[in-house]
Amino acid sequence: MPAQDFVSPDSIRAQFSAAMSLMYKQEVPLYGTLLTLVSEVNQQVMAEQPQVAQTLRLTGEIERLDQERHGAIRVGNAEELATIARLFAVMGMQPVGYYDLSSAGVPVHSTAFRAVHEQSLHISPFRVFTSLLRLELIDNPALRELSRQILAKRQIFTPRALELIQQCERDGGLTASDADAFVSEALHTFRWHQDATVTAQQYQQLHDQHRLIADVVAFKGPHINHLTPRTLDIDAIQAGMPAKGISPKAVIEGPPPRRCPILLRQTSFKALQEKVAFSDQQGAASGSHTARFGEIEQRGAALTPKGRQLYDQLLDAARDSLGGVPAEANAERYMNLLEDSFRAFPDDLAHMREQDLAYFHYFPTERGLAARGEAQRPTSLQGLIDAGHVQFAALVYEDFLPVSAAGIFQSNLGDDAHSEYGSNANRDAFEQALGKSVQDELALYAQSQQRSLQVCARALDLPGL
Ligand code: OOG
Ligand code: NI
């Protein structure tokens, strides 16, 4: 099969992301309500803040905004994780970053599968936060063994999906009709299954150990547990949710509101109670399980190691002053502490750039292009910016935040469910299960920034920047 007959992994990802959204809308109708709210708020922000709309046009994000979303799944063992990695690779999604959630009382560690090049991200920024259950953290040996056996028996991929993954690896791509088949086969892995694989009593045991363990072990596959659209104003969403019959979690995770958003702010609504049929109930759906929820996010600038260090330090300071986990009762105090603490983080792009706190995308301006032939023009980046020959916009943060992720996990596990696992980061074990190493997100942002400087240099006829 000549390579030119293959469809690009980017378009398979875009197709898959749209199919997932459609499936989740049917499974969780409240997700559809959320999409409507997000699109209303985004329209309003663009109408009321022309400079936001203008930046979105400059960076091209305006084209990806409506289809932008991330999902999350939890897999049960190394084999599932390694095969999921191969499935995502068909769609050009690579594992980026390592997140240890054990220190927050959740017995998993995670990565994000996503596209890594800005051109691919532009076509479809779809990402999946993927967690691997850590059976070794279950302290009851009998339950650990039961879980291991149950997970070893299940097959979360359809035979045709496995064939198509192999075919893609062998041939280097998929034709349009094979890609269609792949998308619909892959979708099965992420569907909700009402029939549990365990008895009511086994479910209860797993659940008593940790609700998350029951969620992973008791079902046929890693159902998508939320799908998250991207908003331009998360405070407006948080305030607007109750009027749409949705009750949000107590606080928005991440940094406080700012003129220049950084990293990621997220809020979610509580998991839904769903009917389940346990294996000893002859198909009667008389049990229930809470797993799936809704989440919204607002994305801002990707931070450099220096910026990230400052972010972590200011977030820790706010949490230390709060003296506990943010919840309903102390939500307002927490938001005030957060705002106070983050006054130390410059809130304009020029200062963030001068102090090397964020990554940027650079663009040549009309004036810069017009000045190409002039002998007396600036040649340094700062000189070009000062002369208005180059402009810049922040690179969007494409990843996740461990403290926020823990807050999202907790909010849908119930505020009272705080287990203790200590701090058990084990990136080596995760990468071994995955079958490859995870990519360093900071290196990806630095490369992307560097490529935009090269484009500027070429367009402005300069030897380099
Ligand atoms: C994942 C929770 C983390 C996020 O956006 O940080 C997450 C999960 O509940 O499986 O989705
Ligand atoms: Ni999420």
Side-chain angles (χ1 to χ4, degrees), residues 52 116 166 216 356 381 386 425:
V52 172
V116 294
Q166 219 170 25
V216 179
D356 187 30
L381 181 57
D386 293 343

Side-chain angles (χ1 to χ4, degrees), residues 70 226 228 234 238 249 251-255 264-268 295-299 399-401 403-405 408:
H70 84 251
H226 64 278
T228 304
I234 199 160
Q238 179 89 348
K249 75 192 277 296
V251 298
I252 296 175
E253 298 290 343
L264 177 62
R265 300 183 70 211
Q266 299 171 299
T267 185
S268 61
E295 184 193 42
I296 311 94
E297 66 187 13
Q298 179 172 5
R299 290 188 173 263
D399 294 285
F400 295 86
L401 296 168
V403 176
S404 302
I408 299 288

